[in-house]
Amino acid sequence: MIRVSPSILAADFADLGRDIGRIKQAGAEYVHIDVMDGLFVPNLSIGLAPIPCIRKITDLTLDVHLMIEDPDKYIDEFARLGARIITVHQETTRHLNRTLNHIRELGCLAGVSICPATPPETLGWSLGDFDVALIMSVNPGFGGQKIVPSAVKKIAVLRDMLEKAGVAAEIEVDGNVALDTAQEIVNNGARLLVTGSALFKAPDAGAFIRTLKGMEAGA
């Protein structure tokens, strides 16, 4: 089953409550929240402060993606404020297994993300320690980028790794997920799609999400 996690980085922050209400009405199950520190990625975005505000206005699952250095400093607080999925980058975490298990201990789903140049094999010894694997199909930091073709191929590699290990983790993909790119992403094994600009600029958000959800592998 395909599920959709709209990235509010592309929303109108002057009326965020309205936009979050619209994506729920359109059929989204998640709110994807990109946290950037200007160090790991060349951009800044929201931090801890907006999380309880977002939690108050929606019952959608808060899917928090920490694109920051030393994420261990902030995991407890994001969990306390209402995050349901907390994703850290393999590239920023020295003791990945310990970090992922700590996220689970806090009652959250543990996610791990890899950038386009990071081989999926780097997660080989962490299979079973995460609930979500987020593959970045663009270099993190800014919206509107073109997909890195090799990043899409990694989805199938990771899916094969998970199946051989008997691990039922979800594969999430973030980066230029649109109506003309999503089918290949789904065909390779992703089932959780992060979409930003393409969704928020769509004339009919409901139709957009229904189309993504209607995609089946091999279609």
Side-chain angles (χ1 to χ4, degrees):
M1 181 177 67
I2 307 299
R3 289 174 290 173
V4 179
S5 186
S7 173
I8 60 169
L9 193 64
D12 181 358
F13 273 70
D15 205 341
L16 189 57
R18 177 204 63 191
D19 277 3
I20 290 177
R22 285 177 176 174
I23 62 174
K24 179 179 180 179
Q25 186 177 18
E29 295 91 348
Y30 302 83
V31 176
H32 190 82
I33 302 171
D34 290 308
V35 179
M36 306 179 190
D37 61 0
L39 298 172
F40 176 59
V41 295
N43 197 6
L44 290 167
S45 69
I46 65 174
L48 287 161
I51 304 301
C53 301
I54 296 170
R55 179 73 289 162
K56 286 180 182 178
I57 62 175
T58 186
D59 59 358
L60 293 175
T61 297
L62 301 191
D63 176 16
V64 175
H65 181 190
L66 300 180
M67 291 182 272
I68 60 176
E69 297 287 351
D70 202 1
D72 294 272
K73 290 182 178 179
Y74 306 99
I75 286 170
D76 288 60
E77 192 66 3
F78 276 105
R80 186 185 70 81
L81 293 174
R84 172 59 178 153
I85 304 172
I86 299 179
T87 297
V88 299
H89 268 264
Q90 182 270 352
E91 300 91 352
T92 67
T93 311
R94 290 188 178 183
H95 307 289
L96 181 60
N97 304 72
R98 183 170 68 190
T99 298
L100 294 172
N101 283 301
H102 181 58
I103 293 172
R104 284 177 165 178
E105 289 168 0
L106 294 170
C108 299
L109 297 177
V112 59
S113 183
I114 54 175
C115 293
T118 302
E121 290 82 3
T122 60
L123 302 179
W125 294 105
S126 298
L127 298 177
D129 290 328
F130 55 83
D131 304 290
V132 178
L134 172 55
I135 292 180
M136 293 298 302
S137 50
V138 302
N139 288 294
F142 297 95
Q145 301 180 62
K146 291 183 178 180
I147 285 179
V148 178
S150 59
V152 177
K153 296 177 182 178
K154 293 194 303 185
I155 303 169
V157 174
L158 182 56
R159 172 53 60 199
D160 185 61
M161 290 170 58
L162 291 168
E163 290 178 353
K164 287 180 178 178
V167 175
E170 195 88 75
I171 295 182
E172 183 175 16
V173 174
D174 184 0
N176 193 19
V177 176
L179 297 183
D180 61 341
T181 61
Q183 188 66 68
E184 183 180 7
I185 290 168
V186 170
N187 287 350
N188 277 279
R191 292 296 177 269
L192 181 52
L193 306 179
V194 178
T195 181
S197 301
L199 169 61
F200 285 101
K201 292 180 180 178
D204 186 337
F208 182 95
I209 289 179
R210 286 192 298 272
T211 301
L212 290 185
K213 289 185 175 184
M215 294 181 178
E216 297 181 2

